[in-house]
């Protein structure tokens, strides 16, 4: 009996250890990369990766990542896009790509379809001529028409849309339109270096609010977390009300929605990507709770159910501490920290099922570690 009990305990301990072992897969190690996204380009049921670095936008084909296909080159550029997104712009059933430099106009690349996509040189088209620099592109259906829109911030306070943020609906003729339909919701009241937006219905009226963090220096003002309340069906293009959640938040950057404590209300999860710490704000009073107070420069953030237990977990990577971490929600917004890597930077982290096994993995754009990698969720 004693031997059987020891065997059971050993098996349980082994299972617990294995449950925390996420395998790291390197997609590329070629240069400083701030953004990477996944999509199935050739319809083989495997997710491929598009990353921007070294003055180009490149497609890497799963599963071995050895084939690099250059989709676009920046004239005279050596850097890459600060952020990117995928969505079906032209309605042809495949995923197109959208992105921008931190000092440039946002644009999109048309996916030419399965047979032509691997030949490279996807056609570029403009999203907005006036925005002169961004930090985030977020896909979300803002006007409830069943189609994805793009939320974009203007990251250059002295040019373009100045201290504003806007959502963009896809024009009726996206292949010939001069630019997308622009709807400014934060008119000059997003001062301070707005970073990564999140969109979610926090008041239960069926319309999504939009939130963001602002980093502060070298920008005037900043160091705050805030959201803008959607005006609803009678004022989709009308005034949005700004609500400050917290000020004096050094290096505030990211905000994402999610019912963290399981009370049926949508909370906000946030990070200080140019400071320290991951946290969440509890709806409705917006009390601030710390998830991880020690992680340095957690510039990337994701909220998803990684252990498939029915509640929302959180993940981030700090480019200062170089930790990749996921935070297991043990119930009612109480989190357990799991460190997956201690030598990896990030500017952009995505929860996505990279290997098609039904659980959510993590895709990471490596910034100063000059790579793109994904972490395989061991959950089976």
């Amino acid at each position: 009996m004693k031997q059987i009990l020891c065997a059971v305990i050993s098996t349980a301990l082994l299972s617990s250890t294995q449950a925390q072992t996420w395998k790291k897969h390197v997609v590329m190690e070629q240069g400083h990369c701030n953004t990477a996204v996944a999509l199935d380009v050739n319809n083989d049921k495997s997710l491929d990766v598009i990353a921007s670095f070294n003055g180009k936008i490149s497609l890497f084909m799963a599963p071995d990542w050895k084939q690099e296909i250059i989709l676009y080159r920046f004239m005279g550029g050596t850097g890459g896009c600060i952020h990117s997104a995928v969505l079906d712009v032209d309605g042809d059933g495949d995923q197109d790509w959208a992105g921008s430099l931190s000092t440039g106009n946002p644009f999109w690349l048309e996916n030419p379809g399965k047979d032509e996509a691997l030949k490279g040189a996807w056609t570029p088209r403009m999203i907005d001529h006036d925005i002169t620099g961004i930090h985030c592109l977020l896909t979300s259906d803002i006007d409830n028409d069943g189609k994805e829109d793009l939320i974009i911030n203007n990251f250059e306070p002295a040019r373009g849309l100045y201290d504003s943020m806007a959502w963009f609906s896809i024009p009726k003729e996206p292949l010939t339109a001069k630019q997308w339909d622009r709807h400014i919701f934060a008119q000059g009241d997003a001062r301070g270096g707005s970073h990564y937006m999140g969109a979610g219905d926090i008041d239960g009226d069926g319309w999504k609010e939009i939130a963001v963090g602002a980093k502060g220096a070298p920008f005037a003002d900043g160091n705050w977390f805030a959201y803008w309340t959607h005006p609803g069906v009678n004022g989709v293009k009308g005034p949005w009300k700004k609500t400050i959640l917290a000020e004096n938040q050094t290096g505030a950057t990211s905000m994402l929605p999610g019912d963290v404590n399981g009370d049926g209300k949508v909370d906000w999860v946030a990070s200080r990507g140019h400071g320290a710490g991951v946290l969440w704000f509890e709806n409705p009073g917006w009390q601030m709770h710390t998830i991880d107070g020690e992680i340095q420069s957690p510039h990337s953030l994701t909220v998803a159910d990684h252990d498939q237990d029915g509640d929302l977990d959180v993940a981030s990577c700090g480019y200062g501490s170089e930790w990749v971490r996921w935070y297991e929600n043990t119930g009612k917004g109480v989190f357990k920290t799991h460190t997956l890597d201690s030598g990896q930077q990030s500017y952009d982290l995505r929860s996505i099922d990279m290997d098609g096994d039904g659980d959510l993995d993590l895709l990471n754009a490596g910034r100063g570690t000059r790579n793109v990698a994904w972490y395989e969720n061991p959950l089976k």
Side-chain angles (χ1 to χ4, degrees):
M1 177 66 71
K2 184 176 181 180
Q3 288 180 333
I4 294 174
L5 181 61
C6 288
V8 170
I9 293 173
S10 297
T11 302
L13 289 174
L14 179 61
S15 299
S16 177
T17 302
Q18 288 176 336
Q20 303 308 324
T21 304
W22 293 52
K23 183 179 179 180
K24 182 178 182 178
H25 303 264
V26 176
V27 175
M28 75 85 178
E29 295 178 293
Q30 298 182 30
H32 183 115
C33 182
N34 287 331
T35 185
V37 291
L39 70 166
D40 181 5
V41 172
N42 55 352
N43 296 329
D44 65 350
K45 308 303 181 183
S46 297
L47 290 181
D48 312 299
V49 171
I50 296 179
S52 181
F53 59 96
N54 294 348
K56 58 188 176 181
I57 300 167
S58 296
L59 167 65
F60 294 89
M61 301 302 298
D64 57 16
W65 316 112
K66 292 180 180 179
Q67 183 181 10
E68 179 188 5
I69 301 163
I70 298 175
L71 306 181
Y72 183 84
R73 287 189 183 274
F74 296 100
M75 295 297 293
T78 57
C81 291
I82 193 72
H83 208 228
S84 59
V86 291
L87 71 166
D88 185 3
V89 175
D90 49 10
D92 63 356
D94 55 36
Q95 295 287 290
D96 306 297
W97 178 96
S100 176
L101 299 169
S102 60
T103 54
N105 304 116
F107 65 99
W108 68 283
L109 299 179
E110 179 194 354
N111 184 340
K114 176 182 176 182
D115 296 331
E116 299 295 322
L118 304 187
K119 296 179 181 179
W122 292 18
T123 302
R125 293 184 174 86
M126 191 63 63
I127 293 175
D128 189 271
H129 291 275
D130 294 325
I131 288 180
T132 53
I134 75 154
H135 213 88
C136 178
L137 297 99
L138 175 68
T139 58
S140 190
D141 182 4
I142 300 302
D143 53 2
N144 286 353
D145 66 351
K147 301 176 182 177
E148 293 275 54
D149 306 302
L150 268 182
I151 308 167
I152 309 176
N153 57 357
N154 192 97
F155 200 60
E156 296 240 324
R159 296 195 302 154
L161 302 183
Y162 303 96
D163 297 302
S164 299
M165 297 189 295
W167 64 275
F168 292 80
S169 48
I170 300 172
K172 291 182 179 180
E173 302 293 337
L175 301 183
T176 57
K178 292 183 179 180
Q179 73 170 55
W180 291 20
D181 301 326
R182 182 202 303 155
H183 315 279
I184 297 177
F185 66 90
Q187 182 73 61
D189 61 352
R191 287 174 58 81
S194 63
H195 264 57
Y196 294 108
M197 289 86 71
D201 179 13
I202 63 157
D203 55 11
D205 67 352
W207 299 88
K208 294 177 183 176
E209 280 62 57
I210 301 175
V212 76
K215 63 170 283 188
F219 297 91
D221 301 325
N223 295 324
W224 48 258
F225 292 109
Y227 70 89
W228 283 257
T229 301
H230 197 298
V233 65
N234 294 321
V236 170
K237 300 179 182 179
W240 294 53
K241 179 184 177 182
K242 180 182 179 181
T243 300
I244 295 285
L245 292 178
E247 297 180 291
N248 301 315
Q249 301 295 308
T250 303
T253 53
S254 312
M255 293 194 73
L256 292 173
D259 180 5
V260 172
N261 56 356
D263 65 353
K265 301 181 179 69
V266 177
D267 312 297
W268 293 112
V269 180
S271 71
R272 305 183 190 98
H274 285 279
V278 176
L279 56 143
W280 67 281
F281 294 96
E282 184 177 355
N283 190 347
W286 306 122
Q287 180 182 356
M288 186 167 61
H289 304 271
T290 298
I291 296 174
D292 183 351
E294 63 177 353
I295 189 170
Q296 298 294 314
S297 307
H299 201 274
S300 59
L301 184 69
T302 180
V303 178
D305 184 3
H306 282 281
D307 52 7
Q308 296 184 351
D309 65 351
D311 54 30
L312 290 176
D313 309 302
V314 176
S316 183
C317 177
Y319 70 77
S321 53
E322 298 196 347
W323 297 327
V324 179
R325 286 180 162 180
W326 80 278
Y327 307 97
E328 177 188 357
N329 191 341
T330 60
K332 298 189 180 301
V334 178
F335 292 89
K336 179 181 179 181
T337 300
H338 302 280
T339 301
L340 307 184
D341 199 342
S342 57
Q344 177 70 49
Q345 289 193 10
S346 174
Y347 239 50
D348 187 8
L349 188 69
R350 315 278 177 133
S351 291
I352 188 167
D353 185 3
M354 292 292 296
D355 50 9
D357 66 352
D359 55 38
L360 293 173
D361 311 297
L362 290 170
L363 175 64
N364 186 68
R367 192 184 179 272
T369 43
R370 300 175 62 81
N371 65 351
V372 172
W374 70 275
Y375 295 83
E376 182 180 350
N377 190 333
L379 187 65
K380 300 298 182 184

